[in-house]
Amino acid sequence: MKYLWISVICCVILTEISRCQAANLTFPSNFSIGAATASYQIEGAWNTSDKGENVWDWFTHNYPDSIADGSNGDVACDSYNQYEVDVALLKNMGVDFYRFSISWSRVLPNGFANEVSEDGIQYYKNLSQLLIANDIEPVVTLYHWDHPEILEELGGWTNELMVTWYADYARIIFEELGPYVKRFITINEPTSYCLNGYNATRFAPAKILENMGHYICIHNTLKAHATAYHIYDDEFRATQNGEVGLVAYCRGWVSGDNVTDETIEQYFLFNCGWVVHPIFAGDYPEIMKTRIANISALEGYPFSRLPEFSDDWVEYINGTADFFGLNYYTSRLPVFDSDEDLGIYTIDSGVIENVNSSWSVGASDWLYVVPEGLGNLLQMIRDTYSNPPVWIMENGYSDEGESDDYDRISYYYDHLSVVLSAINDDGCNIEGYTIWSLLDNFEWADGYTKLFGVHQVDFDSSNRTRSTKLSATWWQDVLSTRELQAVPTANSTRR
Ligand SMILES: *[C@@H]1O[C@H](CO)[C@@H](O)[C@H](O)[C@H]1NC(C)=O
Ligand SMILES: *[C@@H]1O[C@H](CO)[C@@H](O)[C@H](O)[C@H]1NC(C)=O
Ligand SMILES: *[C@@H]1O[C@H](CO)[C@@H](O)[C@H](O)[C@H]1NC(C)=O
Ligand SMILES: *[C@@H]1O[C@H](CO)[C@@H](O)[C@H](O)[C@H]1NC(C)=O
Ligand SMILES: *[C@@H]1O[C@H](CO)[C@@H](O)[C@H](O)[C@H]1NC(C)=O
Ligand SMILES: *[C@@H]1O[C@H](CO)[C@@H](O)[C@H](O)[C@H]1NC(C)=O
Ligand SMILES: *[C@@H]1O[C@H](CO)[C@@H](O)[C@H](O)[C@H]1NC(C)=O
Ligand SMILES: *[C@@H]1O[C@H](CO)[C@@H](O)[C@H](O)[C@H]1NC(C)=O
Ligand SMILES: *[C@@H]1O[C@H](CO)[C@@H](O)[C@H](O)[C@H]1NC(C)=O
Ligand SMILES: *[C@@H]1O[C@H](CO)[C@@H](O)[C@H](O)[C@H]1NC(C)=O
Ligand SMILES: *[C@@H]1O[C@H](CO)[C@@H](O)[C@H](O)[C@H]1NC(C)=O
């Protein structure tokens, strides 16, 4: 039962909801709290100045039917023009840092490092400087899924040359923004774009590639990440003295029927370890290598669909993170696929993701609300990777945009309770937490139909007028007191 410690939180039943309550509601004085966004989801200005086309421009313009409301990020929150308003909102909330991402094709209009856009670079310098002037630390993601379309025409993340193209881009960002930025995220959620974009058509570039595009995509992504990390180490760390890491999307789990230590470990290694094991332990997890090799052989391939790293690459990638970046939203009940008892292998991981029908769910159909799952995941990270410094780089809840967003506040309360227990009771080394998201924004294939913001954006107004939701006001109290605040109750009959 090593991984199934019920963390020291008591989940009390409050009227109709169960609430997880940490014993100590005060955040450590050195704990950082910030808010996040991503370039394609908020910037707009898709063809302003010399910006080049990126894969999301291409995807939304050519396949509008792939987006729930047929929309795109052409204007989005117009943050390219409204960044001063965004900084004022951040200042008003009292956050310690703002995590934003760089649009690769805004900085390198034709994808490569032979031409750098002055306006593109200046925009991110302006934003970083304004944040610093307001005592808000800029935290920069180099890649949040919007690579230049020309690179995709050359194969994108399935072409190993992407490693060099990405590294050239990273060097320019470190050089230009490193004087202002002390925390860089190389790449956001590799499994999201590799699975949804290279083994499905939900995300750009919408390619289905023989049930192996996602493995090749992750393989090249990890090489690109490690190359950028080494560039920072070799060329910038001595003068800039910042930190560099990658952000993984990992799901959690809770116990239930047929959920065993073995199913949990296998789930964790396939779901999260796929990306983080090479960085924190060296190479893909053993179970991934053997299972995928075996299944590939059964399918008649003369090689494993999971590519192999040479010893040199294993060593080069191992240890390339100054912190463990984690995006957490939801959990599942991992159980073994019973078809395997009949010799039928249809799922590489061998694990099915069940849900408990009593779990509540956000507007996004995948967003089951399971705060205890985050606690279990944090303990697994602590135990598997020698308690690395963890930065929760995204956590949040989707609804349909209501301004009295009680359910969002409940979600934050319950997850922060778990984070506090993990720190105080379980000895997890968690250094930061990030609200997803500062603003309602373009939610990928869901368009503007599922909204995660603590601020509303009027997508019908020409200047995309922002307004404060109840959750932003709640966060303001949490941030000024550095203490978890009670969830306000609606006077309505909503709950
Ligand atoms: C609660 O946690 C804070 C921050 O870690 C700590 O300073 C404080 O002493 C704790 N309070 C109690 C009663 O344990
Ligand atoms: C930019 O794109 C918009 C459509 O979003 C179009 O109306 C406009 O003409 C384009 N501007 C330029 C300079 O190409
Ligand atoms: C950067 O800030 C300067 C000074 O406020 C402004 O003139 C310029 O337009 C800004 N550039 C961009 C790209 O936002
Ligand atoms: C990749 O897509 C195939 C169907 O095209 C599916 O069977 C497989 O489960 C997917 N792989 C993953 C890891 O999701
Ligand atoms: C679902 O959750 C409820 C409430 O926590 C629990 O009683 C039940 O056993 C769970 N069911 C499964 C299948 O895990
Ligand atoms: C648990 O496993 C048994 C035996 O394989 C199966 O009959 C049962 O449906 C499973 N329950 C769940 C919730 O998966
Ligand atoms: C990865 O690095 C760690 C720490 O230096 C080391 O203990 C481990 O053996 C390395 N893993 C591999 C596969 O080389
Ligand atoms: C892979 O196949 C080998 C040889 O058949 C077998 O010994 C091993 O248990 C299999 N591993 C997994 C994880 O299925
Ligand atoms: C915060 O302080 C605690 C207790 O002194 C320490 O263990 C932890 O490493 C510090 N965290 C950061 C981010 O400095
Ligand atoms: C945005 O436009 C509205 C009316 O269209 C106006 O009331 C508001 O002041 C404008 N906001 C900004 C920041 O320009
Ligand atoms: C609930 O009602 C009380 C008393 O009428 C009022 O003071 C409070 O502002 C209301 N709260 C909300 C969230 O509407």
Side-chain angles (χ1 to χ4, degrees):
M1 293 299 286
K2 183 173 152 212
Y3 302 122
L4 281 179
W5 280 100
I6 306 303
S7 32
V8 191
I9 41 176
C10 37
C11 293
V12 293
I13 306 298
L14 288 180
T15 56
E16 295 134 66
I17 51 156
S18 81
R19 169 131 309 137
C20 297
Q21 164 99 58
N24 183 344
L25 301 180
T26 306
F27 289 97
S29 57
N30 60 1
F31 189 77
S32 292
I33 299 178
T37 59
S39 48
Y40 189 76
Q41 295 178 278
I42 66 158
E43 281 179 6
W46 82 277
N47 57 359
T48 295
S49 185
D50 50 356
K51 178 180 164 295
E53 185 186 29
N54 65 44
V55 283
W56 274 90
D57 295 324
W58 173 88
F59 182 51
T60 56
H61 292 162
N62 289 289
Y63 299 94
D65 290 350
S66 299
I67 310 299
D69 53 5
S71 68
N72 56 51
D74 286 2
V75 181
C77 306
D78 195 29
S79 287
Y80 183 75
N81 297 305
Q82 310 285 339
Y83 68 92
E84 291 172 342
V85 180
D86 293 347
V87 175
L89 298 177
L90 291 158
K91 179 77 178 166
N92 192 45
M93 280 175 83
V95 294
D96 301 316
F97 65 91
Y98 178 43
R99 177 186 171 208
F100 60 93
S101 83
I102 311 278
S103 164
W104 185 337
S105 63
R106 193 182 294 291
V107 171
L108 303 182
N110 60 25
F112 303 102
N114 62 326
E115 189 191 318
V116 181
S117 163
E118 270 180 42
D119 280 355
I121 284 288
Q122 193 58 46
Y123 171 65
Y124 297 109
K125 281 190 182 167
N126 281 8
L127 174 56
S128 302
Q129 287 168 349
L130 188 61
L131 288 166
I132 291 167
N134 282 279
D135 275 326
I136 300 166
E137 193 199 338
V139 171
V140 163
T141 309
L142 275 68
Y143 177 73
H144 199 123
W145 313 353
D146 49 353
H147 56 280
E149 171 59 17
I150 180 65
L151 305 188
E152 191 51 46
E153 283 164 27
L154 291 163
W157 287 109
T158 63
N159 185 343
E160 195 178 352
L161 288 170
M162 190 74 164
V163 177
T164 314
W165 304 330
Y166 174 82
D168 292 343
Y169 162 62
R171 181 182 284 105
I172 288 165
I173 300 300
F174 293 150
E175 173 104 49
E176 297 285 346
L177 296 180
Y180 316 104
V181 176
K182 299 301 160 201
R183 189 169 300 280
F184 283 110
I185 294 156
T186 53
I187 293 181
N188 181 69
E189 290 188 9
T191 53
S192 297
Y193 61 88
C194 290
L195 283 165
N196 289 306
Y198 291 91
N199 191 52
T201 56
R202 190 172 156 76
F203 285 5
K207 293 177 174 173
I208 293 181
L209 303 166
E210 185 75 6
N211 199 7
M212 64 177 91
H214 50 304
Y215 291 129
I216 298 168
C217 174
I218 294 284
H219 206 67
N220 290 326
T221 292
L222 287 167
K223 289 181 173 181
H225 155 79
T227 306
Y229 184 91
H230 285 287
I231 286 173
Y232 192 82
D233 252 8
D234 296 344
E235 303 173 28
F236 300 100
R237 190 183 293 281
T239 51
Q240 297 186 357
N241 199 26
E243 296 197 11
V244 179
L246 171 146
V247 169
Y249 173 88
C250 303
R251 286 183 173 175
W253 56 86
V254 295
S255 50
D257 291 351
N258 297 346
V259 177
T260 64
D261 285 1
E262 213 186 342
T263 64
I264 289 168
E265 183 166 11
Q266 196 158 315
Y267 182 56
F268 172 75
L269 291 172
F270 270 85
N271 176 256
C272 188
W274 179 16
V275 167
V276 303
H277 220 75
I279 298 173
F280 288 90
D283 209 353
Y284 295 120
E286 217 46 52
I287 182 117
M288 284 194 78
K289 295 197 284 182
T290 54
R291 275 192 60 94
I292 299 167
N294 283 7
I295 296 170
S296 300
L298 283 174
E299 291 166 342
Y301 292 100
F303 55 84
S304 175
R305 285 186 284 103
L306 180 70
E308 256 177 64
F309 286 122
S310 66
D311 291 347
D312 285 350
W313 273 110
V314 168
E315 201 188 320
Y316 190 73
I317 295 167
N318 192 10
T320 54
D322 302 321
F323 56 89
F324 189 114
L326 171 69
N327 286 355
Y328 175 84
Y329 289 90
T330 191
S331 290
R332 294 291 183 270
L333 295 164
V335 305
F336 283 138
D337 177 8
S338 55
D339 279 356
E340 295 200 355
D341 299 341
L342 311 170
I344 303 167
Y345 296 85
T346 43
I347 308 172
D348 287 345
S349 70
V351 175
I352 290 175
E353 294 188 298
N354 281 344
V355 299
N356 185 326
S357 55
S358 77
W359 291 343
S360 68
V361 57
S364 312
D365 57 8
W366 50 267
L367 213 176
Y368 291 91
V369 179
V370 195
E372 306 93 293
L374 171 59
N376 294 333
L377 174 63
L378 288 168
Q379 292 180 44
M380 180 71 102
I381 291 167
R382 177 196 66 193
D383 295 343
T384 311
Y385 303 118
S386 314
N387 207 7
V390 171
W391 281 72
I392 296 173
M393 286 296 188
E394 284 181 27
N395 179 234
Y397 180 81
S398 62
D399 58 18
E400 273 145 26
E402 42 270 46
S403 58
D404 287 344
D405 51 345
Y406 298 100
D407 292 343
R408 175 167 295 107
I409 299 174
S410 293
Y411 181 97
Y412 282 130
Y413 184 97
D414 289 341
H415 287 79
L416 289 169
S417 280
V418 166
V419 169
L420 283 166
S421 287
I423 296 170
N424 291 316
D425 307 322
D426 306 331
C428 295
N429 186 13
I430 307 168
E431 298 190 343
Y433 175 93
T434 318
I435 300 160
W436 183 272
S437 174
L438 174 67
L439 302 171
D440 282 347
N441 58 46
F442 178 78
E443 178 53 19
W444 312 110
D446 289 327
Y448 300 97
T449 66
K450 311 285 157 71
L451 299 163
F452 282 83
V454 298
H455 294 96
Q456 262 177 349
V457 175
D458 178 358
F459 292 105
D460 295 325
S461 74
S462 63
N463 60 9
R464 298 302 195 262
T465 311
R466 282 91 161 115
S467 52
T468 301
K469 297 186 191 178
L470 206 56
S471 57
T473 309
W474 180 82
W475 269 112
Q476 195 178 35
D477 291 344
V478 172
L479 283 155
S480 63
T481 58
R482 297 284 155 168
E483 244 174 63
L484 201 43
Q485 299 294 310
V487 178
T489 44
N491 291 341
S492 72
T493 52
R494 273 188 69 246
R495 144 126 14 110

